[in-house]
Amino acid sequence: MFPGATADRAAASYVVVGAPLDATTTFQPGTRFGPDRIRRFSRTYDDYDHRTETFFSELGVHDAGDVHPWDDVPAYLDHLAAEVRSIVLDDAVPLLVGGEHTITYAGVEATAPDVLVVCDAHLDLREEYDGNRWNHACVTRRALDVVDRVVVVGARTGSPAEWERVADADVEVVAPGDAHGWLDGLDADTFAGESVYCSVDVDGLDPGFAPGTGTMEPFGLSPREVRDLVRTVAPHADGFDVVEVNDRDDGQAAAVAGKLLREFVRHRAAVAG
């Protein structure tokens, strides 16, 4: 169980779902261990947060456990989306923990947001990778089949075709060096009238902070920048995930992932009341 996620399912305002998919990782596998590691390395965090004056255990979070994958990725995503949709129908906010980034498609499909705001080192705008449209390198492109637009914060690498796709009006890319200014420019009207889904791929952070991920890319975001992104987007978001955590570090990636999930809940709850 995610620490502090003690609410009954029927009364929950937020529901954690583990999605340990590890099917298309292209370099270092291990995302199947991500959900368990995120739960494990969140155990030391205090329940009380002085900044928001909240106890996490009092914010109505329930841990529904893991939705275990199988070899058929599209079928698994359909099943995962159905599980997430049941959370939405109960007027709760889904919190997915992964698992490779492909699981974001299920969260997006279930919540049907207008905008996907994603922290990621990679554009993930490929039409296919090694012939597979459901590779984790294609997830943002697949999400564009559902959302009106995407904002990728922290992207610093991609193929020529992906950078060409960025030129279209439905994609905005915020480079790591521009992230602080972009965050400062957000206000209450930025997402006015739009629903948002927030996704954090931990490889959006510099690997010096989160080495436990499959495809490390140097010169990334700091934990504070990603924290500020999550805090800013959370009040507008109908769903959240943190993905691409694996078991190839001493818990750094899992620790920051668990902290970001808690930050999302605390700052969304402050607005939701």
Side-chain angles (χ1 to χ4, degrees), residues 65-101:
D66 292 351
V67 177
H68 294 285
W70 59 93
D71 291 342
D72 189 334
V73 173
Y76 173 70
L77 293 175
D78 284 345
H79 177 65
L80 180 60
E83 295 289 335
V84 176
R85 196 174 297 111
S86 72
I87 296 168
V88 175
L89 291 173
D90 287 337
D91 294 324
V93 177
L95 309 169
L96 295 177
V97 288
E100 67 176 66
H101 206 170

Side-chain angles (χ1 to χ4, degrees), residues 44-55:
T44 62
Y45 297 141
D46 285 331
D47 191 29
Y48 179 71
D49 176 64
H50 177 67
R51 183 175 187 272
T52 57
E53 298 185 334
T54 59
F55 291 91

Side-chain angles (χ1 to χ4, degrees), residues 25 27 49 52 57 60 78 91 112-113 117 126 130 134 140 147-148 156 171 184 209 215 217 226 239 242 249 266 269:
T25 306
F27 184 49
D49 176 64
T52 57
S57 61
D78 284 345
D91 294 324
V117 177
R126 297 172 188 263
D130 284 346
W134 295 103
T140 304
V147 304
D148 294 332
R156 47 200 184 271
V171 179
D184 285 346
F209 298 111
T215 313
E217 188 70 32
V226 182
V242 59
D249 67 1
R266 293 188 194 278

Side-chain angles (χ1 to χ4, degrees), residues 16 64 116 124 165 177 179 182 187 190 199 212 230 255 270:
V16 177
L116 168 64
D124 286 352
R165 183 65 178 83
W182 181 79
D187 57 33
T190 300
S199 174
V230 170

Side-chain angles (χ1 to χ4, degrees), residues 21-44:
L21 184 64
D22 196 7
T24 75
T25 306
T26 47
F27 184 49
Q28 295 188 125
T31 54
R32 70 194 66 187
F33 305 114
D36 284 345
R37 284 178 71 81
I38 292 169
R39 294 179 177 108
R40 174 186 170 192
F41 285 97
S42 298
R43 290 175 187 166
T44 62

Side-chain angles (χ1 to χ4, degrees), residues 28 202 206-214 216 246 248-253:
Q28 295 188 125
V202 294
D206 190 272
F209 298 111
T213 193
M216 292 182 285
N246 67 22
R248 294 173 180 258
D249 67 1
D250 291 326
Q252 297 97 314

